[in-house]
Amino acid sequence: REALAVTAQLCGPELERYGRCVAASPGSWHQDCHQLSLSVTACASNHPLVRRIRRDCSDSFGAFERCLRERPRSTAECGPHVSQFLLCAQNVTQSATPGDTATAAPSATPRD
């Protein structure tokens, strides 16, 4: 959750544009929204916590992306892949050092 919140906080406009594009192109979003996806990735990759998630959870995220490519009209079938990636991301954020999250939410209190 925290990594998604970090991404949303740091890259909100990019995520918004990408989300609108995906919603507007259910059958071809993977092609139509590719540039917007790259802009979200570029924005998020500047944050240490997001970089750790990308590194540590690359296998589960790759499986999710493959599922979406193979089932562009049945993305609901990719739910288990999303769950696996989110679980991995949660594990990474829970083991994050304070420096990983400090720039994202300086007023946030540490979570147990």
Side-chain angles (χ1 to χ4, degrees):
R1 277 180 272 164
E2 188 170 335
L4 295 176
V6 166
T7 303
Q9 181 178 357
L10 297 175
C11 308
E14 291 86 350
L15 282 171
E16 177 80 20
R17 285 191 292 273
Y18 180 63
R20 281 196 309 259
C21 181
V22 169
S25 307
S28 59
W29 65 268
H30 54 284
Q31 294 170 335
D32 297 347
C33 308
H34 181 69
Q35 280 304 123
L36 294 171
S37 171
L38 294 177
S39 71
V40 171
T41 301
C43 176
S45 66
N46 291 321
H47 192 276
L49 180 58
V50 175
R51 284 197 301 264
R52 277 190 61 198
I53 290 170
R54 287 179 57 84
R55 182 193 69 215
D56 295 355
C57 303
S58 63
D59 290 345
S60 59
F61 188 72
F64 170 59
E65 285 187 316
R66 277 190 304 281
C67 181
L68 290 176
R69 277 194 306 274
E70 293 167 1
R71 299 169 180 85
R73 297 184 188 275
S74 330
T75 55
E77 294 177 25
C78 301
H81 298 289
V82 172
S83 297
Q84 190 172 8
F85 170 70
L86 292 176
L87 181 61
C88 179
Q90 181 180 5
N91 289 337
V92 169
T93 58
Q94 287 175 345
S95 66
T97 61
D100 286 342
T101 57
T103 58
S107 63
T109 56
R111 295 183 187 178
D112 291 339

